Amino acid sequence: MDAVWTSRLAIVIAIAGQSIDVQAQGAPADPVKVLVERLDLERYKATIKGLTLFGDRREGTARNRAAVDWIETQLKSYGCTDTERIKYVYDTILPPPRQGAAASRRSAIASGEIRRGVGGSRLRGMTRRVVPNDDPKAQTDPALRARNAELPASGPREEVFCTKVGATHPDEMYIVGAHMDGLGFGEAADDDGSGTALVMELARVFSSPDVETARSIRFALWNNEETGFQGSRAYVTQRAPLQGKEDPPGSGRYPEPRWIAMIQHDMMLWDHGMPHADGTVSAEQRPEADINIEFQSTSKFALAAMKLAFFFRDANETYATDYPASAGHHMSNTDSSAFMDLVPAISLRENERGMQIGAGWNPHYHQATDRYSSYSDKDFRLGLNATQTSLAALAQLVDVRLK
Ligand SMILES: [Zn+2]
């Protein structure tokens, strides 16, 4: 089974690579470049801003449901009109531990000391503890505190997706995801308004009437990521068995195209480097900031996922305007984990999840300060470059054409 999927992806990657070479030799305008140029920093920022108007979008609340409705309205307005919802029930409400004085909880890893992080990673240097904020009073803005006042209740949940249907291979698709729920009593601007806006921007560009793709792409905005990935797992449980079935027979319609790969986006803005010895973090994006593309070396499809990760890195080198990308093998704590033993799966982030985010490199992570106003254009531009990277890679993988 691994060989079948590995070769499917390998063939797609080989074909995508060839089409770039042809375009480099003076054929008409490169459609991938044309599409990347349809992305724009102000549009990307405006979508993040729109998401932050729903506060931290914590799952199981009215503000979360309103955000799902808003995302669906936006997707339709982009021309991604066949929106659908996954419905499931979540009834285990476990509050995250309280934050306390996080900034003072720092520790330096000694020379030669091996301290492991999640996903098989190894922590290095100066670390800060990362504990989600569960104290509503940590929000100093009274209006935002009021917006985030409702606490989650057990019950039904929904999440939305839409699909760009492939012109010649409607029965095969890439799944492109981000989680729209957040926590921490802020605005969940970075985690994960930034990834949600990225996926929405991809939906906008690929849904333009002049864009045709050979294969399908599904744009999924997962719910319940912060409680343990119940939204993406519900999708896998409900939809995996439906893959590749034409319904009705002979119609050419595939409600669940066969999955080729899963690409997740989570926290795309902040790469200010390692905490200083006093536990503080640099105020400015570091000039050498990069996008981290991760796969999981212990997953069933590790080899194909590794190839996919480096394909995304190559797409970054060819098409992204500012920041580079690097690839790592410790993907963890992400919605792509639910897919990684079924298809090749990767995750894009501002930092490596284990070694860097897990060591407290982002002081806004799950905090009341994860607000739109906490980020500069240098931060937003890292997210834009991640959008350029995923758009360019996907455009090649689905064999994009401009009509
Ligand atoms: Zn997240």
Side-chain angles (χ1 to χ4, degrees):
M1 189 64 176
D2 192 6
V4 172
W5 283 105
T6 301
S7 65
R8 176 194 300 280
L9 188 69
I11 290 164
V12 172
I13 285 176
I15 292 168
Q18 281 167 18
S19 64
I20 292 189
D21 292 343
V22 171
Q23 280 141 14
Q25 287 160 15
D30 174 3
V32 179
K33 188 163 189 291
V34 171
L35 294 190
V36 168
E37 285 169 355
R38 292 180 182 180
L39 296 170
D40 164 63
L41 183 64
E42 292 308 318
R43 273 199 92 113
Y44 176 61
K45 286 167 62 180
T47 307
I48 296 174
K49 181 75 189 169
L51 289 160
T52 63
L53 299 181
F54 301 95
D56 67 4
R57 304 183 299 286
R58 189 162 174 183
E59 63 82 33
T61 65
R63 61 188 184 278
N64 174 278
R65 291 188 290 276
V68 175
D69 292 343
W70 183 79
I71 291 166
E72 182 165 22
T73 302
Q74 296 299 112
L75 293 173
K76 285 179 186 294
S77 77
Y78 304 151
C80 207
T81 50
D82 62 332
T83 58
E84 294 178 62
R85 292 198 182 198
I86 295 287
K87 300 180 181 181
Y88 59 98
V89 173
Y90 180 66
D91 54 14
T92 310
I93 306 291
L94 294 172
R98 285 178 182 271
Q99 169 70 37
S104 64
R105 295 188 200 156
R106 62 184 193 274
S107 70
I109 295 172
S111 172
E113 176 189 351
I114 295 182
R115 202 186 300 173
R116 294 289 172 192
V118 295
S121 61
R122 178 178 169 186
L123 307 183
R124 310 272 185 173
M126 201 64 204
T127 67
R128 297 168 67 255
R129 274 193 68 186
V130 288
V131 183
N133 172 53
D134 194 38
D135 179 6
K137 291 192 291 296
Q139 181 48 256
T140 55
D141 177 342
L144 182 53
R145 202 185 311 146
R147 191 171 303 143
N148 286 332
E150 186 195 354
L151 296 176
S154 298
R157 302 283 189 269
E158 295 189 12
E159 62 196 5
V160 67
F161 64 82
C162 73
T163 309
K164 170 78 177 181
V165 178
T168 56
H169 296 77
D171 58 329
E172 298 177 4
M173 76 172 171
Y174 289 87
I175 302 173
V176 182
H179 71 87
M180 51 71 60
D181 67 311
L183 82 173
F185 297 100
E187 292 175 333
D190 187 26
D191 185 12
D192 186 23
S194 62
T196 301
L198 183 161
V199 172
M200 292 170 70
E201 280 290 277
L202 296 188
R204 177 178 69 79
V205 172
F206 278 111
S207 300
S208 175
D210 66 337
V211 174
E212 186 178 284
T213 64
R215 296 171 191 82
S216 301
I217 312 173
R218 179 155 289 171
F219 305 96
L221 291 317
W222 315 117
N223 207 342
N224 274 95
E225 191 270 358
E226 300 290 5
T227 51
F229 322 105
Q230 286 84 8
S232 51
R233 291 191 193 285
Y235 180 94
V236 169
T237 302
Q238 294 179 27
R239 308 297 289 230
L242 308 177
Q243 286 180 76
K245 290 182 182 161
E246 193 180 26
D247 185 25
S251 65
R253 293 173 53 168
Y254 296 85
E256 192 66 24
R258 272 177 300 163
W259 306 344
I260 304 174
M262 159 69 181
I263 300 114
Q264 176 75 1
H265 304 83
D266 191 358
M267 300 173 71
M268 312 309 308
L269 303 183
W270 183 278
D271 188 359
H272 293 210
M274 185 183 285
H276 306 302
D278 65 358
T280 62
V281 176
S282 296
E284 286 269 318
Q285 189 79 292
R286 57 179 180 153
E288 60 274 21
D290 63 1
I291 300 149
N292 291 86
I293 307 164
E294 297 184 276
F295 64 97
Q296 177 46 259
S297 58
T298 62
S299 68
K300 194 170 167 191
F301 296 92
L303 193 59
M306 179 177 72
K307 287 182 181 169
L308 186 64
F310 279 95
F311 186 80
F312 272 62
R313 181 173 170 162
D314 281 334
N316 169 277
E317 291 183 349
T318 308
Y319 293 102
T321 50
D322 307 283
Y323 294 106
S326 58
H329 61 308
H330 297 311
M331 184 179 85
S332 184
N333 296 65
T334 173
D335 288 308
S336 39
S337 302
F339 293 84
M340 70 182 187
D341 291 327
L342 300 171
V343 288
I346 61 172
S347 160
L348 276 70
R349 278 189 162 110
E350 63 197 17
N351 279 139
E352 289 197 3
R353 174 62 184 83
M355 182 171 77
Q356 299 171 341
I357 295 173
W361 283 31
N362 185 339
H364 303 302
Y365 175 48
H366 292 158
Q367 303 306 308
T369 56
D370 187 1
R371 303 192 62 177
Y372 183 83
S373 57
S374 297
Y375 304 98
S376 74
D377 274 5
K378 289 176 186 170
D379 300 319
F380 289 119
R381 194 168 290 282
L382 183 66
L384 178 71
N385 275 253
T387 316
Q388 295 167 337
T389 300
S390 283
L391 176 62
L394 276 165
Q396 296 169 67
L397 292 170
V398 299
D399 197 6
V400 80
R401 285 192 179 81
L402 291 173
K403 286 187 256 183

